[in-house]
Amino acid sequence: MAEYSFGQNLARLFLVIFNLIFVIVGLALIVVGGLLKAGAEFLDALGSFVKEIPGLGNIAIVIIVFGVVIFLIGIFGTCGSCCSVRCMLILYAVLLMIITLAEIVLVALLFSGKLDKLVTVGFSNLSKKYKMPTNLNAIDSKDIVSRLIDAVFISLKCCDTENVPGASPIKIPPSCCVGLTQKVLESGDLRGYQECSDNPSATNSYMDKSCGVALIDLMRNNQAYVIGIGVALLVIELLCIAFSLWICSQINKKNRVSSI
């Protein structure tokens, strides 16, 4: 076991505490993803709407994979720093470097405007899968894709009339109407919004605001928070990388002394 200075012991303690959090978060994601994939009974408490989300199985797999990655990073960092395992610390530092570079690329895309285009194109493709309701007395709750798009329209207060099949300047989805809430949508009775849907205007609907623009505006309005969180994560990640490499150097030094 390598002998550490007071500062290096503090660095080891920081790595152990931080990476134990990683281990717990990773395990939680694996459990949640596994339950979603297995269709566990607890989903009944969330309602049939959640169980019928398209691609739920694929979403569960992504959550599981992400959880496994987080868990492994936490294990490498915890065991490497606690037990002075040099190969684990090196692998831990490399993985964190990759994650840090990915975050920097994402921020660069955000400020370059390329992410705006990706968001706009993504929403356009999503809106093309929408099916206009034919009966506002009882909309089809089994059309999960359209109901998810309705939820996006309501939450972002937007409307992609150019991309929704069957929509036009004189006919829009009722979820684009001002005042419609998720609770009303879930009730299935949208007769109160028939007039807005058939005769939309800039005052009674969000027909002039695309969802891509709405999401981009939301990100811009909360840019300070995003930057703050990003900087905090970056500082923590850089500290973890620096501490792990510092401990590795001490292990190497101890090994050289022992071999003499």
Side-chain angles (χ1 to χ4, degrees):
M1 180 72 67
E3 296 179 359
Y4 299 102
S5 66
F6 177 74
Q8 288 170 332
N9 279 322
L10 285 180
R12 293 173 67 205
L13 180 61
F14 174 86
L15 287 175
V16 169
I17 293 174
F18 179 76
N19 287 287
L20 278 177
I21 296 174
F22 259 44
V23 170
I24 293 171
V25 172
L27 283 174
L29 289 173
I30 292 171
V31 170
V32 170
L35 290 174
L36 289 175
K37 184 65 177 175
E41 293 182 358
F42 91 102
L43 285 179
D44 293 335
L46 302 179
S48 59
F49 178 78
V50 175
K51 296 180 71 174
E52 295 174 0
I53 292 177
L56 183 61
N58 294 330
I59 294 173
I61 292 174
V62 171
I63 293 175
I64 292 172
V65 171
F66 187 63
V68 169
V69 172
I70 295 296
F71 176 77
L72 289 178
I73 291 175
I75 288 294
F76 291 149
T78 302
C79 296
S81 56
C82 183
C83 305
S84 300
V85 183
R86 181 174 175 271
C87 61
M88 280 191 170
L89 286 172
I90 292 175
L91 185 56
Y92 171 74
V94 170
L95 290 173
L96 276 187
M97 288 178 187
I98 294 173
I99 292 173
T100 302
L101 287 174
E103 291 172 353
I104 293 173
V105 170
L106 183 61
V107 171
L109 287 173
L110 178 63
F111 284 98
S112 68
K114 292 183 179 179
L115 189 61
D116 295 0
K117 183 177 180 181
L118 291 175
V119 169
T120 303
V121 172
F123 267 112
S124 297
N125 292 334
L126 179 65
S127 297
K128 291 176 182 177
K129 299 179 181 180
Y130 187 87
K131 295 179 181 178
M132 291 283 287
T134 56
N135 182 10
L136 296 189
N137 294 341
I139 61 173
D140 185 8
S141 61
K142 294 182 179 180
D143 185 1
I144 303 300
V145 174
S146 295
R147 300 297 76 80
L148 284 174
I149 297 173
D150 280 332
V152 172
F153 289 167
I154 293 171
S155 61
L156 292 179
K157 297 181 179 180
C158 62
C159 191
D160 278 348
T161 52
E162 294 182 359
N163 300 298
V164 171
S168 69
I170 58 173
K171 182 69 175 179
I172 63 172
S175 52
C176 295
C177 295
V178 173
L180 181 64
T181 64
Q182 187 66 33
K183 185 177 181 179
V184 175
L185 177 66
E186 291 174 356
S187 72
D189 186 355
L190 306 182
R191 286 175 293 179
Y193 297 89
Q194 183 76 58
E195 176 64 24
C196 167
S197 179
D198 293 338
N199 299 285
S201 67
T203 56
N204 67 3
S205 72
Y206 304 109
M207 60 182 297
D208 294 330
K209 189 170 187 178
S210 73
C211 291
V213 173
L215 182 58
I216 292 167
D217 288 345
L218 181 64
M219 291 190 295
R220 293 283 186 265
N221 293 336
N222 295 278
Q223 192 168 327
Y225 298 105
V226 174
I227 293 174
I229 294 172
V231 169
L233 287 174
L234 182 62
V235 169
I236 292 174
E237 289 166 357
L238 291 177
L239 282 175
C240 288
I241 293 170
F243 287 162
S244 60
L245 295 178
W246 188 21
I247 295 170
C248 277
S249 67
Q250 181 64 15
I251 296 173
N252 286 336
K253 182 179 178 181
K254 180 63 177 179
N255 290 338
R256 286 197 299 269
V257 172
S258 300
S259 62
I260 295 177

